[in-house]
Amino acid sequence: MRQYGVGFALSGGFIKGFAHLGMMQALFEHGIRPDIIAGVSAGALAGAFIADGKEPYKVVEIFQRYTFAQLTSFARSVSGLLKMDDFMEFLRTNLSVRRIEALKLPLVVVASDLDHGMSVQFRQGDLDKCLAASCCMPVLFAPVVIDGVHYVDGGVFMNLPVSPIRGECDKVVAINVSPINATTYKKNVLSIAVRCFNYMFRANALHDKLLADLLLEAYNLDSFSNTELEKAGEIFEAGYRQANEQLKSKLK
């Protein structure tokens, strides 16, 4: 017998992570709640607040009290443009526990070990540091150091963490807010580089999609800027709406 009934696997997606909350709100209203959560980057962040016992719509209200500038500051470092000290202080202020293992629900936080080139799963440890490591977008943020090891965004190796909990759960619900979306783009060097970077992140989710019992995906969110925290409510509503539409057909 497996250890958990239902597991949620939440993808990376930066600002699109607020769609996770909207989609989980829809799942909760359909009576589907997790016994364990695995998350990467924005998914780990959303998952941590849910594992802490907060309802999805309440989490959005917390974030809407802040601006992007309040959660980041410039790094005096050659390893990244921004540092995550303010973000970690935000986590310590708004989460009720300090350790992953103290959360109300089990949480698996996926990050990338930059020093040894491997995906890492945190199931215990300092919650703020592990979440910061999982959310640490390379180049934009300086790597997060935990026990002497440098970590960056978990999406580098695994952007949809179904496999870490697949063997532990009867059912796994995967929420992917970063599906591959071949929209039009500018043909300059920066635009091409960013597009290729996003494709690499999203392509490594293809295998884990097949392992899920139920897959929900959020589309048409690329127009939101990653600094637009004030749009959190709109992104939440988009995720909520799309999840309800998909659940109507998938739960027949």
Side-chain angles (χ1 to χ4, degrees):
M1 185 174 179
R2 287 174 175 163
Q3 189 174 358
Y4 304 106
V6 177
F8 280 9
L10 310 179
S11 76
F14 216 117
I15 196 72
K16 294 190 288 292
F18 290 110
H20 278 307
L21 296 167
M23 298 185 111
M24 284 192 283
Q25 184 69 46
L27 285 163
F28 286 9
E29 291 174 8
H30 280 79
I32 303 171
R33 286 180 175 263
D35 300 303
I36 184 173
I37 300 172
V40 57
S41 195
L45 181 59
F49 279 89
I50 300 304
D52 196 35
K54 295 175 173 59
E55 292 297 308
Y57 70 94
K58 288 290 187 182
V59 181
V60 176
E61 292 175 3
I62 292 171
F63 276 90
Q64 287 180 317
R65 300 176 199 149
Y66 295 81
T67 64
F68 183 80
Q70 289 176 305
L71 301 183
T72 59
S73 55
F74 284 105
R76 295 179 180 179
S77 165
V78 296
S79 58
L81 299 175
L82 304 171
K83 58 183 180 179
M84 306 194 80
D85 301 56
D86 296 326
F87 175 65
M88 287 190 282
E89 179 58 33
F90 161 82
L91 295 173
R92 290 190 290 269
T93 299
N94 291 287
L95 290 166
S96 67
V97 299
R98 296 289 177 266
R99 305 276 301 175
I100 294 175
E101 60 270 30
L103 290 163
K104 292 180 174 67
L105 289 178
L107 177 69
V108 181
V109 178
V110 179
S112 298
D113 178 340
L114 188 62
D115 297 342
H116 304 98
M118 58 190 291
S119 182
V120 173
Q121 301 168 25
F122 292 110
R123 293 175 183 251
Q124 59 184 17
D126 292 331
L127 187 53
D128 60 337
K129 286 186 179 179
C130 293
L131 288 175
S134 183
C135 294
C136 187
M137 180 70 73
V139 181
L140 182 60
F141 296 106
V144 175
V145 181
I146 301 175
D147 295 330
V149 177
H150 295 78
Y151 292 94
V152 294
D153 197 303
V156 170
F157 287 105
M158 183 185 297
N159 206 42
L160 185 63
V162 176
S163 51
I165 58 171
R166 174 66 278 180
E168 302 172 38
C169 302
D170 294 327
K171 302 288 185 182
V172 177
V173 177
I175 304 179
N176 182 24
V177 300
S178 294
I180 292 177
N181 188 14
T183 56
T184 58
Y185 63 101
K186 296 178 180 178
K187 303 301 189 291
N188 59 53
V189 171
L190 180 59
S191 181
I192 292 171
V194 169
R195 187 176 179 85
C196 290
F197 184 78
N198 287 334
Y199 276 175
M200 287 187 287
F201 260 60
R202 296 171 185 183
N204 71 32
L206 297 178
H207 172 264
D208 278 50
K209 280 186 184 183
L210 301 176
L211 301 178
D213 297 287
L214 174 62
L215 173 65
L216 301 179
E217 294 192 285
Y219 292 91
N220 303 319
L221 301 177
D222 290 329
S223 62
F224 292 100
S225 164
N226 283 329
T227 62
E228 291 184 304
L229 273 184
E230 67 274 13
K231 299 290 183 66
E234 291 181 41
I235 301 170
F236 174 94
E237 288 296 334
Y240 177 74
R241 200 166 49 247
Q242 292 186 52
N244 275 316
E245 291 170 358
Q246 292 172 41
L247 288 169
K248 284 179 184 177
S249 60
K250 295 188 177 188
L251 295 183
K252 285 182 178 178

